[in-house]
Amino acid sequence: MGNLIINRKPGQRIFLSPETEADAAELYRQLTEEGIWLELYHSRTPGQIVVCITAPPAVNVARELLQANDGRS
């Protein structure tokens, strides 16, 4: 499982998707056994929260800005 820790403002989104080459059966196994965990924390920056995402290797996690720049809108 990998971790991503980022600050988010209200209205900003996070995109979760399967790896391009992910095997469907392996992805299903990882999601049912490990799941995806979200932890939210207070940020030192007013108007933001800290989001910690823990997901299996077969799951991509990206800020919306990065996903949109990737051409997969």
Side-chain angles (χ1 to χ4, degrees), residues 22-43:
D23 175 67
E26 178 60 15
L27 175 62
Y28 179 79
R29 185 196 66 73
Q30 288 179 9
L31 289 173
T32 55
E33 290 181 10
E34 302 170 29
I36 297 173
W37 293 88
L38 303 175
E39 296 176 71
L40 307 176
Y41 300 97
H42 289 283
S43 175

Side-chain angles (χ1 to χ4, degrees), residues 4-26:
L4 174 67
I5 300 173
I6 57 175
N7 287 326
R8 297 284 78 196
K9 295 178 185 176
Q12 291 182 320
R13 302 188 304 178
I14 300 167
F15 184 72
L16 303 171
S17 66
E19 284 282 342
T20 306
E21 302 296 322
D23 175 67
E26 178 60 15

Side-chain angles (χ1 to χ4, degrees), residues 7-10 37-38 40 50 52 54 60-61 66 68 72:
N7 287 326
R8 297 284 78 196
K9 295 178 185 176
W37 293 88
L38 303 175
L40 307 176
V50 176
C52 176
T54 304
N60 285 321
V61 180
L66 295 178
R72 294 185 288 173

